[in-house]
Amino acid sequence: MRIYKHIGKGHYIGSCIVIIAEDEDIAKHLISIELINMGLRDEPLDIEEFEIIKNTIIVKQDGDY
C-alpha cells in the first residue's frame, strides 16, 4: 500500500485528495471518481506518491491564504 496525494485548482482555494491505494492505477481511478463527485470533472490529475511511514503527518494545511 502507498499514499497518493492530488493537489489541484479546485473551485476557489484549491483541491486536495489524499488516499491509500495498492498502486497508482487504483489511486488515479479513486481520485478521478472523487473529483467528479466534487464537480471537478475537468481538473487534470496531479498525483504524487508517498511511502507509508509510521508516526508521520500525512496532510497539514494552516489555512493561511
Side-chain angles (χ1 to χ4, degrees):
M1 300 296 258
R2 306 285 289 181
I3 297 171
Y4 297 89
K5 176 180 78 171
H6 162 81
I7 300 268
K9 292 179 95 173
H11 291 290
Y12 303 106
I13 60 169
S15 64
C16 177
I17 301 172
V18 179
I19 66 165
I20 296 174
E22 290 184 30
D23 60 44
E24 188 172 354
D25 289 334
I26 293 171
K28 286 179 180 180
H29 177 74
L30 293 173
I31 291 170
S32 294
I33 289 170
E34 286 305 308
L35 289 172
I36 290 168
N37 290 339
M38 294 187 307
L40 298 169
R41 176 183 305 271
D42 297 328
E43 183 166 288
L45 290 178
D46 183 16
I47 298 176
E48 188 173 353
E49 181 179 334
F50 299 89
E51 183 178 345
I52 295 176
I53 301 171
K54 289 183 179 182
N55 304 318
T56 301
I57 295 171
I58 303 300
V59 176
K60 179 179 174 182
Q61 297 177 338
D62 67 3
D64 185 10
Y65 52 86

